[in-house]
């Protein structure tokens, strides 16, 4: 298995533009997580899905952020409109139901200028 | 509200010596604890875990100790190797039917092992 795949690896965009981050979880994993890493807040959970259904989105910072999981093999995290303070590394992770560790992708480094 | 805290942002040790990374938590509902290692430009990778019913778990050079009364855990690496240089994240979870792998992370500790 190739592991969790995220795209793009790097994204530079102008303030006000829409940004879409993509994730392909490990096949067979029931859980998908979106995390954000910043210097100030470390790794924080934004939202997670179980069987494609959003379970907890309390970590989503604002309505500008939205996430979808249309099927078991694909998820998106969208920021519209983007702001400079959204600059961070965004990680997608997936995990099987009963196991306890999550497997992370390599992350997308987002820079909003 | 930082429920998992790693108070040392960095640690430097000599190759061959022991590295001890510390982590404190405040949520008494946490019943599973994990350590992740992260190299630059990569995602965190799982290293070792411990259930709250244990006080020690060992895997090769890595040992995690849990002190529930103090709400404290530590990761020992012995002997330390230069390749261990990375950011180490402590994480915790409450295992329920729906929580899956929902993890709360600490801020991370940058470990540098000097040759």
């Amino acid at each position: 298995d190739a592991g969790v795949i995220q795209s793009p690896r790097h994204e530079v965009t102008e303030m006000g533009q829409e940004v879409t981050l993509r994730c392909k979880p490990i096949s067979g994993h029931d859980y998908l997580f979106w995390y954000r890493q910043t210097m100030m807040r470390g790794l924080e959970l934004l939202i997670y899905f179980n069987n494609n259904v959003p379970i907890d989105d309390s970590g989503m910072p604002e309505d500008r952020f939205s996430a979808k999981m249309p099927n078991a093999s694909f998820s998106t995290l969208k920021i519209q409109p983007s702001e400079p303070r959204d600059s961070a590394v965004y990680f997608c992770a997936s995990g099987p139901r009963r196991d306890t560790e999550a497997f992370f992708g390599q992350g997308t480094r987002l820079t909003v200028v | 509200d930082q429920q998992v805290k790693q108070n040392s942002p960095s640690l430097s040790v000599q190759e061959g010596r022991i590295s001890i990374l510390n982590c404190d938590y405040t949520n008494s509902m946490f019943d599973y604890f994990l350590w992740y290692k992260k190299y630059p430009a990569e995602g965190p990778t799982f290293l070792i875990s411990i259930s709250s019913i244990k006080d020690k778990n060992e895997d090769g050079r890595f040992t995690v100790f849990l002190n529930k009364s103090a709400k404290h855990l530590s990761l020992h690496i012995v002997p330390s190797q230069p390749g261990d240089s990375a950011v180490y994240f402590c994480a915790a979870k409450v295992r329920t039917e729906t929580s899956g792998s929902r993890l709360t992370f600490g801020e991370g500790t940058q470990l540098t092992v000097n040759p």
Side-chain angles (χ1 to χ4, degrees), chain A residues 9-49:
Chain A
R9 290 295 308 277
H10 302 275
E11 177 80 34
V12 180
T13 190
E14 291 185 347
M15 182 174 64
Q17 297 296 307
E18 176 181 297
V19 175
T20 299
L21 311 181
R22 296 173 174 80
C23 175
K24 176 178 167 39
I26 293 173
S27 177
H29 283 187
D30 291 339
Y31 289 85
L32 184 138
F33 306 83
W34 283 100
Y35 286 88
R36 177 171 70 175
Q37 183 184 21
T38 61
M39 289 294 292
M40 293 297 294
R41 301 173 68 90
L43 264 170
E44 53 178 341
L45 178 67
L46 300 177
I47 185 172
Y48 79 96
F49 296 82

Side-chain angles (χ1 to χ4, degrees), chain B residues 75-114:
Chain B
L75 174 68
H76 292 209
I77 307 173
V78 55
S80 302
Q81 300 173 355
D84 296 330
S85 297
V87 176
Y88 288 79
F89 289 98
C90 170
K93 72 187 299 285
V94 178
R95 287 189 292 184
T96 67
E97 280 296 315
T98 58
S99 69
S101 305
R102 190 187 192 284
L103 299 170
T104 301
F105 283 87
E107 305 94 326
T109 297
Q110 171 69 56
L111 173 66
T112 302
V113 181
N114 301 302

